[in-house]
Amino acid sequence: MGIHQNLVAGEWVDGADAAPNINPSDTNDVVGEYAMASREQVADAVAAARSAGPAWRRTTTQARSDILFKIGSELFERRDELGELLAREEGKTRAEATGEVGRASQIFRFFGGETVRLGGERLPSVRPGIDVTIGREPVGVIGIITPWNFPIAIPAWKIAPALAFGNTVVFKPSELTCASAWALADIIRRAGVPAGVFNLVMGTGPVVGQAIVDGVDAVTFTGSVATGRKIVGAAAARMIHVQAEMGGKNPLVVLDDADFDVAVDCAVDGSFYQTGQRCTASSRLIVQEGIHDRFVDVVAERLGRLTIDHALKSGTQVGPVVDGRQLDQDMSYIDLGDREGARKVVSGQRLNRETPGFYLSPTLFADTTNDMRINREEIFGPVASVIRVKSYDEALAVANDTEFGLSAGIVTTSRKHASHFEANAEAGLTMVNLPTAGLDYHVPFGGRKASSYGPREQGRYAAEFYTIVKTSYAG
Ligand code: NAD
């Protein structure tokens, strides 16, 4: 099997090293070998992106739009094949993975439209005989650093607006999910993006990620809070633009007046689908006392019926955890919950399946309090806690008592409580009678507090990060 190379200045090039990409559903299955770039290679990629910038920003918006539509079309046509590849390297189910490729395709097409729609403003000056115009310009070389849990959608929602608005790109995917990234890079290159405009450098965070932050004009990052903090600090020291989307400890409030089936569906889907590995997963289920016991019983019963197996097997509802390190982290938090005195209603176990993989059944803790570490720290696995509350007011206070603020949901038939929650939940996203995860591609996405730093991503709000405003006066 050949090594999948980095893309630098329009050429496929070897890295300093290479690493295998292992299928978490079957650790005997090597998805491929992927080049790992050196710091010098990242510097070459940044230099290539810098020299390609002036010509790229002068291309017509129509030319850029055509390229983005071409990328979106190929992703759509190949969604089944690329979905299978994604499921194989990341472990989400075939349906989840194919849906994600479809999402990436929609994002490229959306920004194909935004390219030609980007406009400015013309205002009267407060002084006589002067025109004032406000326009948007590309920022320059954008460094893109992404996590493993949405290996094609997150790169898409960063690369598409970067290219749409005339920037050039140096992209580093997570070292766990290089296959989807490499396939996307190949599509972008063949769609007619000029050499140097888009560069792929695979490798580890401390080497390749750090070298990107040291060289580019702006950096957009999605990943954990710990890494985000480092990147935001390094970017601030260089005084470059930075955007960071990070973790969550998202609450789902269930009130006594909730439609019971909707509440159970929201909890099972939001907390456990995609193996709980979503930044918007609901890890804290805040449940009012009147509905509490029945809710816990029925959610537990539903979890017992979930089919956990190989991501590509038909009938699988939950795939494996992404790798051994994440599995160890999940197991250590399950032990911690025991030590903190939480009641394990459904006990997560390592599972054996036909193929060796990182299989873990769901864990549901009850009788937890919001000050337990399992309710304060992001676990990022199929683990959720129930917190019992007396009233809506207490539920809202608990929901907001967290360092995070990404997504917050409520299940209720009370219009009054739903609209009060929308207005008072300290989160970037609110969900009424819906799971905390599950988003549209044409509207802004992002959080508050430690979940997010800098401008919003996606939709037309993406222009806030990927362009710089210029105000021009003419006499
Ligand atoms: P991570 O922080 O470990 O890694 C993210 C990326 O940063 C990877 O590409 C990694 O190689 C790189 N990196 C690591 N150290 C670096 C450094 N010192 N300098 C530069 N780059 C570095 O996160 P992960 O484990 O890949 O992803 C899971 C996390 O992502 C979870 O916390 C999850 O909540 C978060 N996430 C957030 C969102 C969101 O939009 N808010 C979406 C998906 C995932």
Side-chain angles (χ1 to χ4, degrees):
M1 196 189 314
I3 292 173
H4 294 80
Q5 296 165 301
N6 292 311
L7 181 65
V8 177
E11 302 290 332
W12 292 113
V13 292
D14 286 334
D17 203 349
N21 179 338
I22 307 291
N23 179 348
S25 300
D26 178 359
T27 52
N28 293 325
D29 177 28
V30 178
V31 180
E33 294 278 338
Y34 290 85
M36 300 278 118
S38 61
R39 277 192 73 87
E40 294 67 37
Q41 205 164 39
V42 177
D44 290 348
V46 172
R50 185 147 285 126
S51 62
W56 178 242
R57 66 189 285 176
R58 281 195 307 272
T59 52
T60 62
T61 53
Q62 186 62 54
R64 296 207 294 267
S65 174
D66 290 346
I67 288 174
L68 293 173
F69 270 92
K70 206 165 165 191
I71 297 167
S73 301
E74 183 167 343
L75 285 167
F76 187 75
E77 281 153 21
R78 294 177 55 198
R79 64 192 181 286
D80 291 338
E81 168 213 338
L82 295 174
E84 180 167 324
L85 182 68
L86 196 162
R88 216 174 129 209
E89 73 168 343
E90 200 271 352
K92 65 182 72 174
T93 65
R94 189 191 291 276
E96 289 167 338
T98 306
E100 185 182 332
V101 179
R103 169 60 57 98
S105 130
Q106 287 160 331
I107 291 166
F108 273 98
R109 290 185 283 195
F110 175 83
F111 283 105
E114 286 301 280
T115 308
V116 294
R117 266 193 292 270
L118 185 70
E121 280 182 84
R122 184 166 175 193
L123 275 74
S125 168
V126 292
R127 291 171 286 160
I130 294 176
D131 277 336
V132 187
T133 54
I134 303 166
R136 288 187 176 272
E137 295 185 351
V139 182
V141 180
I142 309 272
I144 296 180
I145 300 177
T146 57
W148 48 264
N149 67 328
F150 285 97
I152 204 157
I154 294 179
W157 78 54
K158 294 179 188 293
I159 295 166
L163 297 179
F165 301 135
N167 301 285
T168 57
V169 168
V170 178
F171 164 46
K172 186 197 103 59
S174 163
E175 47 276 50
L176 293 181
T177 51
C178 290
S180 301
W182 192 93
L184 178 60
D186 180 49
I187 291 171
I188 292 172
R189 187 186 65 86
R190 285 186 291 95
V193 173
V197 168
F198 172 84
N199 302 271
L200 170 74
V201 280
M202 297 174 283
T204 64
V207 177
V208 176
Q210 185 64 52
I212 289 176
V213 179
D214 290 345
V216 295
D217 302 322
V219 61
T220 174
F221 163 81
T222 299
S224 62
V225 174
T227 310
R229 233 185 264 285
K230 281 188 209 155
I231 290 178
V232 168
R238 290 193 56 229
M239 292 201 274
I240 60 170
H241 287 218
V242 61
Q243 174 184 61
E245 286 301 336
M246 297 161 285
K249 199 71 201 170
N250 308 294
L252 178 74
V253 169
V254 177
L255 296 185
D256 284 348
D257 63 17
D259 177 312
F260 189 78
D261 294 339
V262 171
V264 171
D265 286 347
C266 286
V268 173
D269 172 329
S271 305
F272 297 99
Y273 281 13
Q274 223 183 284
T275 325
Q277 298 175 147
R278 291 186 285 193
C279 52
T280 47
S282 18
S283 46
R284 294 183 300 142
L285 305 172
I286 301 167
V287 185
Q288 206 175 350
E289 57 190 3
I291 200 172
H292 176 278
D293 292 356
R294 192 170 151 231
F295 175 83
V296 170
D297 287 349
V298 175
V299 170
E301 187 264 324
R302 282 275 298 273
L303 296 182
R305 284 195 277 128
L306 285 178
T307 305
I308 298 144
D309 209 327
H310 195 298
L312 291 172
K313 204 164 172 178
S314 88
T316 296
Q317 289 169 294
V318 176
V321 171
V322 73
D323 71 352
R325 212 176 62 159
Q326 182 65 48
L327 182 66
D328 290 344
Q329 176 170 316
D330 297 348
M331 296 303 292
S332 75
Y333 274 106
I334 295 169
D335 289 346
L336 177 66
D338 286 336
R339 281 185 275 122
E340 287 185 305
R343 175 167 63 94
K344 226 184 308 171
V345 184
V346 180
S347 172
Q349 312 280 349
R350 285 217 54 175
L351 303 173
N352 291 319
R353 291 293 180 255
E354 271 170 32
T355 47
F358 305 111
Y359 299 105
L360 176 64
S361 62
T363 298
L364 183 69
F365 284 116
D367 302 338
T368 74
T369 56
N370 200 43
D371 57 358
M372 291 179 175
R373 277 181 58 202
I374 53 166
N375 284 330
R376 305 216 71 85
E377 298 170 19
E378 187 182 50
I379 301 173
F380 219 56
V383 182
S385 307
V386 181
I387 303 169
R388 186 197 298 257
V389 290
K390 289 192 168 55
S391 63
Y392 165 74
D393 289 341
E394 187 186 353
L396 177 66
V398 171
N400 285 339
D401 177 15
T402 170
E403 78 166 299
F404 298 104
L406 190 52
S407 182
I410 187 165
V411 189
T412 179
T413 51
S414 154
R415 229 185 118 100
K416 184 179 131 207
H417 286 141
S419 49
H420 188 272
F421 187 81
E422 280 180 343
N424 292 285
E426 292 166 6
L429 308 159
T430 60
M431 305 284 179
V432 174
N433 297 325
L434 289 169
T436 53
L439 307 163
D440 285 3
Y441 63 85
H442 67 301
V443 286
F445 169 69
R448 292 194 196 176
K449 302 198 258 184
S451 292
S452 194
Y453 188 90
R456 288 283 181 261
E457 301 204 81
Q458 302 198 60
R460 65 185 166 79
Y461 288 71
E464 296 298 322
F465 177 74
Y466 293 96
T467 62
I468 290 184
V469 168
K470 181 178 275 175
T471 310
S472 303
Y473 295 85

